[in-house]
Every structure is written in structure tokens, then in C-alpha cells.
């Protein structure tokens, strides 16, 4: 859903792009941890490292998702009036 306002659309696009970059960064982190700390050799150490390093990424992804949802809600409210 996109509104007729170019400013809202641009803001949503920027938020979505940032969220996708963070998801890619998290996947790269997962790949790095899996390569450096294979489960067969290191057990759950790699998983603990991944959880520690990805915590901030997860928080920012959740925040961006909230912003995106809020922007869509705002567009819906504005378009109804």
C-alpha cells in the first residue's frame, strides 16, 4: 500500500531499504559465525557469539518494522480524510 504523497513513499522506501540491508548484514554474520565456529567442532559457542552480535541488529530491525507499519497507518489515516 502506498499513498499519493511522494514524501511518505520515499520515507517508507528508505526504511525498507535500511531494514533489508540489516537483514543481509545479519545473514552475513550468520555465515561468518558458521564458518569460523562450526557446530561440529565448537558446539554451541558459535550460536552464543551469533546471539550476542546480532542482538543490536534484531532490535534495529524490529524498530524499523514498527516505523514502517506506523507510516502505512499514517498514510491510511491521511487518505481517509
Amino acid at each position: 500500500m502506498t499513498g499519493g504523497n511522494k514524501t511518505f513513499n520515499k520515507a517508507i522506501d528508505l526504511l525498507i531499504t535500511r531494514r533489508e540491508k540489516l537483514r543481509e548484514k545479519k545473514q552475513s554474520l550468520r555465515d561468518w559465525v558458521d564458518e569460523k565456529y562450526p557446530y561440529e567442532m565448537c558446539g554451541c559457542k558459535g550460536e552464543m557469539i551469533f546471539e550476542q552480535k546480532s542482538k543490536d541488529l534484531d532490535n534495529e530491525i524490529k524498530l524499523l518494522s514498527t516505523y514502517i507499519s506506523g507510516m502505512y497507518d499514517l498514510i491510511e489515516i491521511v487518505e481517509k480524510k
Side-chain angles (χ1 to χ4, degrees):
M1 174 180 159
T2 57
N5 190 317
K6 291 180 184 179
T7 304
F8 283 127
N9 292 339
K10 180 67 174 172
I12 290 171
D13 288 342
L14 290 173
L15 292 170
I16 290 172
T17 300
R18 175 68 180 152
R19 183 178 64 180
E20 292 307 312
K21 285 181 182 179
L22 288 172
R23 286 180 177 167
E24 290 171 8
K25 187 174 180 179
K26 184 177 176 183
Q27 184 59 47
S28 295
L29 176 63
R30 165 56 70 194
D31 295 341
W32 177 81
V33 167
D34 287 346
E35 183 179 316
K36 185 155 177 124
Y37 302 99
Y39 187 78
E40 299 79 28
M41 295 176 64
C42 300
C44 64
K45 180 179 180 181
E47 187 61 33
M48 291 179 0
I49 291 171
F50 175 75
E51 286 178 14
Q52 289 173 346
K53 292 184 180 270
S54 69
K55 185 190 298 186
D56 291 336
L57 293 173
D58 286 336
N59 289 337
E60 191 169 350
I61 289 169
K62 287 177 188 175
L63 182 63
L64 288 170
S65 294
T66 302
Y67 288 162
I68 292 166
S69 177
M71 291 294 285
Y72 282 130
D73 292 344
L74 184 60
I75 288 172
E76 187 175 314
I77 291 168
V78 168
E79 286 183 346
K80 283 183 179 180
K81 290 185 177 186

